[in-house]
C-alpha cells in the first residue's frame, strides 16, 4: 500500500483485515521490517486511542517514532497560497510538511474539520497539502471527513466476532452536546458497504450522510425498526451534513439503552470512543457484557500495524 487516506487506498480489503487479525496473534513477527525507519505522528486535535495504538503498532514493527502536537507546540500553520503572512500563522504548510518529511519515512496526521463550510471541509485541503508537500507515504489518523484506521478496526472486530456469515450491522446516531464531525460515521459506512453485512443506518431526519459514503446502506428514521434483529449496534453522534455542522436535535430518546438493546438479536455494542456516558449510551449498556468497546479499541493496535506493515513493505 502506498498511503492510507481512505478505503480507496486499500487494494484488497479482506487481505488487510486478515493481516490485522493475524498480527494480533503474532504482533512481533516483523520486528526487523521497521528497523531504522521513522514514523512521524502529527496531531492538530486531541487523541487517546489513535495516538497510543499507532505508536504501539510502530514499536511492534521495530520503528522509531516522532510525535508532535502541532496545535500546541508548532507554529500556526498557513495553508492558503500567495497570502501575505502578516496574521497569526507563523509558518506555511509547504515548509512545515517538507521539513517534517525529511526526518520521517512515513507520516501520519490527524486534522478535524471546522464544521463551518462543507465544501472546504470535504475538499480535505490540509490532508492533501500534507500529502503533496511531504512527498512521503501519508496515513490519516482521522481527517475532516474520514477515519479509516477506525473503520479497519471495526471491520476486523465484526469479522472476528460475527456469529453468522452475513450479520446485521446498524449504525445509529446518538445525541451529543457538541457538534461532532461526520468522519467516523462516513468512514464506517464506506467500509460497511464493502463488507459482507446487512447494513442499516438510523438517525433523525436531517442527519443523512453524504451519498458517496452512505452508498447502498438502508436508511431509516425509526431506530426501533433498525435495532430489530441486529447483531451489532454501532453508535456515534455526528452533526448534520445537510445543514452543515449544525445540531438539529439532542433528543434523549435516541440514547442507547438496555430497553433498545432488547430489540436486537443480542447484539454486541460498539463505539469508537470516547463516548459520553448517559448521553450517547447508558451506563447499563456500556457496562454490560454486550459492550465490546474495550476489545474494539484493542484492535486499533493491529489495524494500525497492518497498515504500517503494508506501507513498509512498499518502501523497503
Ligand atoms: C471525534 C469525532 O467525533 O470525530 C473523534 C472520534 C474518534 N470525537 C469527539 O470529538 C468527541
Ligand atoms: N477512536 C479514536 O480515534 O479515539 P481517539 O480520538 O482517542 O484517538
Amino acid at each position: 500500500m502506498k498511503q492510507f487516506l481512505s478505503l480507496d487506498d486499500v487494494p484488497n480489503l479482506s487481505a488487510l483485515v486478515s493481516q490485522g487479525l493475524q498480527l494480533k496473534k503474532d504482533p512481533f513477527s516483523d520486528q526487523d521490517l521497521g528497523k531504522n525507519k521513522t514514523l512521524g505522528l502529527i496531531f492538530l486535535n486531541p487523541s487517546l486511542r489513535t495516538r497510543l495504538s499507532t505508536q504501539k503498532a510502530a514499536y511492534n514493527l521495530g520503528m522509531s517514532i516522532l510525535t508532535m502536537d502541532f496545535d500546541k507546540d508548532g507554529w500556526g500553520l498557513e495553508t492558503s497560497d500567495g497570502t501575505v503572512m502578516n496574521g497569526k500563522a507563523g509558518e506555511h504548510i509547504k515548509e512545515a510538511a517538507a521539513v517534517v518529511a525529511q526526518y520521517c519515512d512515513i507520516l501520519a496526521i490527524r486534522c478535524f474539520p471546522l464544521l463551518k463550510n462543507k465544501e472546504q471541509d470535504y475538499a480535505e485541503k490540509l490532508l492533501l497539502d500534507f500529502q503533496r508537500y511531504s512527498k512521503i507515504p501519508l496515513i490519516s489518523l482521522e481527517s475532516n471527513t474520514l477515519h479509516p484506521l477506525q473503520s479497519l478496526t471495526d471491520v476486523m472486530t465484526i469479522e472476528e466476532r460475527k456469529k453468522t456469515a452475513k450479520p446485521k450491522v446498524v449504525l445509529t446516531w446518538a445525541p451529543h452536546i457538541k457538534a461532532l464531525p461526520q468522519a467516523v460515521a462516513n468512514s464506517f459506512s464506506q467500509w460497511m458497504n464493502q463488507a459482507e453485512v446487512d447494513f442499516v443506518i438510523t438517525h433523525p431526519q436531517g442527519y443523512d450522510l453524504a451519498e458517496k459514503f452512505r452508498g447502498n446502506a438502508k436508511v431509516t428514521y425509526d431506530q426501533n425498526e433498525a435495532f430489530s434483529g441486529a447483531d451489532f449496534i454501532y453508535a456515534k453522534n455526528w452533526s448534520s451534513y445537510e445543514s452543515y455542522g449544525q445540531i438539529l436535535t439532542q433528543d434523549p430518546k435516541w440514547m442507547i439503552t438496555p430497553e433498545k438493546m432488547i430489540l436486537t438479536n443480542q447484539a454486541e455494542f460498539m463505539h469508537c470512543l470516547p463516548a459520553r456516558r448517559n448521553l450517547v449510551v447508558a451506563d447499563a449498556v456500556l457496562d454490560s457484557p454486550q459492550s465490546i468497546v474495550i476489545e474494539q479499541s484493542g484492535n486499533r493496535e493491529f489495524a494500525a500495524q497492518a497498515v504500517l506493515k503494508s506501507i513498509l513493505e512498499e518502501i523497503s
Side-chain angles (χ1 to χ4, degrees):
M1 203 157 40
K2 291 185 170 35
Q3 60 174 14
F4 187 69
L5 307 186
S6 84
L7 180 61
D8 299 335
D9 294 314
V10 179
N12 185 333
L13 171 57
S14 61
L16 190 63
V17 170
S18 303
Q19 177 66 263
L21 293 173
Q22 181 54 38
L23 286 165
K24 185 173 182 174
K25 291 193 190 115
D26 191 8
F28 305 114
S29 53
D30 301 285
Q31 282 223 302
D32 291 334
L33 188 63
K35 192 164 179 268
N36 299 332
K37 294 277 192 287
T38 300
L39 171 67
L41 295 170
I42 294 176
F43 289 89
L44 288 118
N45 307 91
S47 169
L48 187 165
R49 280 142 290 270
T50 305
R51 184 172 188 138
L52 296 185
S53 63
T54 310
Q55 286 192 1
K56 180 64 163 58
Y59 288 137
N60 292 351
L61 292 163
M63 298 185 82
S64 304
I65 295 156
L66 294 176
T67 306
M68 187 158 162
D69 295 325
F70 262 47
D71 56 330
K72 298 188 194 81
D73 301 328
W75 302 99
L77 274 190
E78 179 59 61
T79 55
S80 24
D81 280 332
T83 188
V84 178
M85 287 175 55
N86 58 1
K88 277 197 190 136
E91 176 153 36
H92 202 280
I93 191 167
K94 285 186 184 179
E95 285 77 46
V99 168
V100 173
Q102 294 182 106
Y103 314 137
C104 303
D105 301 281
I106 302 174
L107 202 58
I109 179 162
R110 165 165 284 201
C111 51
F112 285 176
L114 298 176
L115 295 175
K116 300 269 182 271
N117 181 317
K118 184 194 287 191
E119 284 68 36
Q120 272 177 21
D121 284 348
Y122 273 66
E124 295 279 18
K125 180 166 163 44
L126 195 77
L127 183 77
L128 296 178
D129 277 356
F130 263 98
Q131 177 198 44
R132 184 169 163 206
Y133 300 123
S134 70
K135 299 193 175 78
I136 61 173
L138 189 65
I139 295 174
S140 165
L141 302 172
E142 186 174 351
S143 67
N144 289 351
T145 65
L146 293 170
H147 194 355
L149 280 176
Q150 181 67 51
S151 307
L152 172 58
T153 303
D154 300 335
V155 176
M156 282 167 51
T157 306
I158 289 169
E159 179 61 30
E160 73 176 339
R161 302 188 68 97
K162 68 182 184 187
K163 296 186 190 82
T164 52
K166 197 174 181 195
K168 178 174 177 182
V169 178
V170 177
L171 169 63
T172 178
W173 183 93
H176 207 283
I177 50 156
K178 285 172 68 181
L180 296 188
Q182 295 100 35
V184 170
N186 280 343
S187 199
F188 185 72
S189 180
Q190 189 182 36
W191 287 63
M192 280 301 117
N193 263 279
Q194 296 297 316
E196 266 301 296
V197 297
D198 174 15
F199 183 48
V200 177
I201 308 177
T202 183
H203 53 69
Q205 290 199 24
Y207 279 93
D208 286 271
L209 297 171
E211 208 178 332
K212 70 169 173 171
F213 299 127
R214 201 186 334 141
N216 296 321
K218 286 178 219 120
V219 179
T220 170
Y221 302 136
D222 183 340
Q223 195 187 36
N224 288 350
E225 179 200 311
F227 273 42
S228 168
D231 298 297
F232 293 92
I233 297 295
Y234 193 104
K236 182 71 184 86
N237 170 269
W238 62 89
S239 60
S240 175
Y241 173 70
E242 283 164 30
S243 308
Y244 192 65
Q246 287 183 33
I247 297 174
L248 306 179
T249 176
Q250 296 182 335
D251 188 349
K253 286 211 266 319
W254 280 82
M255 181 171 78
I256 317 306
T257 59
E259 292 72 34
K260 288 194 190 140
M261 292 301 285
I262 283 172
L263 302 172
T264 69
N265 180 28
Q266 295 179 320
E268 298 203 295
F269 176 80
M270 299 176 73
H271 191 287
C272 65
L273 302 180
R276 289 187 182 234
R277 283 173 173 259
N278 305 311
L279 181 69
V280 170
V281 50
D283 281 341
V285 173
L286 213 43
D287 293 332
S288 77
Q290 275 172 273
S291 170
I292 58 165
V293 297
I294 304 302
E295 292 84 344
Q296 183 187 353
S297 67
N299 281 340
R300 290 292 306 267
E301 176 180 344
F302 309 108
Q305 194 170 339
V307 168
L308 285 170
K309 177 172 147 73
S310 174
I311 295 176
L312 283 171
E313 283 166 350
E314 186 89 19
I315 60 176
S316 50

